[in-house]
Structures are given as structure tokens and as C-alpha cells.
Amino acid sequence: MFPRPIEKSTPAARAMYQIALPIALFIWLFPLIGVAVTSVRPSSDLASGNYFGMPSYFAWENYVSIFTDSPIGRYIFNSFKVTIPTVIGTLALSCLTGFALGIYKFKGNLLIFFMFVAGNFVPFQILMVPVRDLTYNLGMYNTTMGLAMFHIALQTGFCTLFMRNFISALPKELIEAARVEGVKEWQIFWYIVLPLMRPAIAALAVLIFTFIWNDFFWATVLTTSASTQPVTAGLSSLNGQWVAAWHLVSAGSIIAALPPVLMFFMMQKHFIAGLTLGAVK
């Protein structure tokens, strides 16, 4: 049923694994390597058609030009203005909804839970026009607040699914013992359940931060100006009407990828703990 550990495989299988792993790793990293090399390639190389060869020299000034010749600093700031409120709002709502759906067994519990889950299966393309019209009618179109509010609504369904399943697996004896002692429900949530949810909260924080930071579809649908566009949508504006500044776009892409990577490494221990909880007894 489960894959056999590579240490217990035959010598031929181990040899094939040792050969295939570096090849798969190279194929996986090849686009990133190409972007990294292009980010330090001078514009003259691109103009002469040197797209895949070694740069004539390493133009580290591209990383300076991306800040001096473009509003990428503003784009990154907009991404933080959208991502941080979304992470906080989504986690706050999903902890409450997960607690209510995971602890209390009332009539309609599964129906409400399925409604949260069903929202995750609606294609984005179907939601594009209604969401755009709704934000426009509410006066929130082309604002970072409107984009953040939409992401909170969209991501709460997935986070509720995650939190509800996590809380349902907690020992029921803890909740029952607290109720016997006369502890109020909000105190049970705040002092008992919430501390136990820290690994799950950390795992979700990393996932949601990465999802929202890297979002391109809704960033282009709900924002249009440089004063509100996140970095994913703003990078496309670095290309001029007649000249494609791919060296600057590549440098901007590397810079834009740093915040989620840094957050993952800072939260790596908690992230892995949150994903593996319940895997073993």
C-alpha cells in the first residue's frame, strides 16, 4: 500500500534513483536558474540575441536599476498591504469557524461545513465578472483593501476545512473536563484550544502568505494602477511598449520571490509540525 523506502529497494532501483533524482532536480530548477542568470545579464546581451549563453559580464546593477527606474518598491509595499491583513483576517475567521464546526455538533453542522468546502471548487473564471462588479459597486475596486477583503473571503473556506479537521482531532476529554469545571466557551477556545492550534496556525500562515503574495489573477482583475497593484501584477508593467526589459523583469521576479521564501525558512519547523500532526500516534 505504501511506497517501499529507497534503502530497502534493490541495488538497481537505488542506482536508478540516484541517477533520476539529480535530473529531476535540474529540470525543476532550470526555469529558476534561467531567471536568475537573466537577472544579471546586461541589456546588450538580450539585444544581440544572447538569451541562453553566459552573460558577457554580470550586470549586478540591474538590482539597483529595478528600484531606481521602476516603482517596484511601491509594488512590494502594496503586496504587504494585501497579504498581511489577509493572513491575519483569514486565520482569525477560520479559527473561530473551525472551533464552532469542530466542537459543536448541531443540526446543520455538516451543511454549513460543506458550504465552506464547496466554495473552493468554483472556478476563478466564473467569479471574475461578478467579483469585479461587486467591488466596483462597493467603491472598493482598484484598492488594496478591496483586494485583501476578497482574498479573506476566498481563503476562509480552505482554512476552515483545515482548522475544523484539526480541531476535531483534539482530545475531547480536554473540552469536557473544562466544561465540568465551569469554564466558559470563549475561555475554552482562548486558553485550551488556541494554544494547541499553534502548529496548524503556523502552517496555514505560510501557505496563505505564499498563495496571496504569488497571486497574479486577482491582482490584475481587481487592481489597475501602480498605486494599488501588488508586485506580481506590477512586474508586467516593467516592459515598455516597444522594448521588453527582461533583465529588469527577471531581477524584479527574484526580489519578489524573497519574502515568501524567507517566511518559509523562518517558520519551517512549525510548518512541518503542522503538516505532520496526526500522521503518527
Side-chain angles (χ1 to χ4, degrees):
M1 179 180 294
F2 298 101
R4 178 186 297 180
I6 190 64
E7 295 83 2
K8 298 182 180 180
S9 301
T10 61
R14 290 198 298 270
M16 185 176 296
Y17 175 82
Q18 293 173 352
I19 295 173
L21 182 61
I23 296 175
L25 182 62
F26 176 77
I27 294 174
W28 176 262
L29 294 178
F30 183 76
L32 180 60
I33 295 173
V35 171
V37 173
T38 304
S39 69
V40 293
R41 192 185 300 275
S43 58
S44 57
D45 281 12
L46 298 174
S48 62
N50 182 15
Y51 302 116
F52 302 103
M54 288 297 296
S56 57
Y57 67 92
F58 291 99
W60 299 105
E61 61 270 16
N62 291 343
Y63 286 91
V64 179
S65 300
I66 194 66
F67 285 99
T68 58
D69 300 338
S70 73
I72 191 172
R74 180 67 184 180
Y75 295 144
I76 293 175
F77 180 66
N78 291 337
S79 290
F80 279 112
K81 287 174 64 178
V82 172
T83 305
I84 293 177
T86 300
V87 172
I88 295 174
T90 302
L91 291 178
L93 289 176
S94 61
C95 286
L96 293 172
T97 54
F99 177 74
L101 296 174
I103 296 297
Y104 303 108
K105 304 302 179 183
F106 54 89
K107 187 177 181 180
N109 181 298
L110 285 179
L111 177 61
I112 297 175
F113 175 62
F114 287 147
M115 290 176 63
F116 277 102
V117 176
N120 296 319
F121 296 97
V122 180
F124 290 167
Q125 293 80 359
I126 296 177
L127 297 174
M128 180 176 65
V129 175
V131 168
R132 187 263 180 194
D133 292 342
L134 177 62
T135 55
Y136 183 81
N137 293 332
L138 293 176
M140 303 179 71
Y141 182 72
N142 195 31
T143 63
T144 54
M145 179 181 295
L147 184 58
M149 293 293 290
F150 169 74
H151 279 307
I152 291 173
L154 186 68
Q155 298 297 331
T156 298
F158 166 74
C159 293
T160 297
L161 168 66
F162 191 96
M163 289 297 187
R164 185 257 187 188
N165 293 338
F166 181 84
I167 294 174
S168 297
L170 294 177
K172 300 299 186 296
E173 294 78 9
L174 291 175
I175 310 299
E176 295 172 357
R179 288 172 177 168
V180 169
E181 295 295 332
V183 180
K184 297 180 180 179
E185 295 299 319
W186 71 267
Q187 292 175 323
I188 293 176
F189 170 75
W190 188 260
Y191 293 107
I192 299 177
V193 176
L194 197 60
L196 296 175
M197 294 167 59
R198 282 184 295 181
I201 292 174
L204 270 184
V206 174
L207 289 175
I208 299 303
F209 187 94
T210 304
F211 291 162
I212 305 306
W213 185 275
N214 293 331
D215 171 69
F216 176 77
F217 181 82
W218 292 112
T220 55
V221 170
L222 299 181
T223 60
T224 57
S225 63
S227 60
T228 57
Q229 281 185 326
V231 67
T232 49
L235 283 175
S236 60
S237 65
L238 298 181
N239 284 329
Q241 184 177 2
W242 309 109
V243 179
W246 293 117
H247 57 301
L248 296 182
V249 174
S250 299
S253 301
I254 296 296
I255 294 172
L258 292 179
V261 171
L262 292 176
M263 183 174 182
F264 172 78
F265 280 109
M266 288 188 298
M267 304 286 289
Q268 182 178 10
K269 181 177 68 174
H270 302 287
F271 176 76
I272 296 175
L275 294 182
T276 56
L277 280 175
V280 293
K281 295 185 178 180

